[in-house]
Amino acid sequence: MLVHVRQKQTGIAYLFWLLLGIFGGHQFYLGKTGRGLLYLFTGGIVGVGVVIDLFTLPSQVRQVNTQLAIGIR
């Protein structure tokens, strides 16, 4: 049985990062619930994690899309 899974988009991830980054919105969008909760309860790990994600978000999206494509997620 073939199931089509929608790929995540970098632009949408950055939109969530911009609007809800300190609350982990972009992490929840990528399906990283544990990290999203960590950001939610620590204020984006006191803002440091949010700044790091500014530069690493495209690779995070590629990684999640690869995992979706091969059926890991």
Side-chain angles (χ1 to χ4, degrees):
M1 184 165 106
L2 183 62
V3 176
H4 179 69
V5 179
R6 289 186 60 86
Q7 298 283 301
K8 304 298 181 181
Q9 297 178 20
T10 304
I12 300 296
Y14 269 118
L15 183 63
F16 278 114
W17 174 86
L18 181 65
L19 298 175
L20 300 168
I22 201 156
F23 303 113
H26 57 297
Q27 297 297 338
F28 287 112
Y29 170 69
L30 294 177
K32 299 179 178 184
T33 307
R35 191 179 289 183
L37 289 171
L38 177 68
Y39 276 41
L40 181 64
F41 292 120
T42 63
I45 310 172
V46 193
V48 174
V50 177
V51 172
I52 292 171
D53 287 345
L54 172 63
F55 301 103
T56 63
L57 203 51
S59 64
Q60 290 181 48
V61 172
R62 278 193 305 275
Q63 180 185 28
V64 167
N65 284 337
T66 300
Q67 291 172 345
L68 288 171
I70 62 176
I72 293 175
R73 283 188 177 256

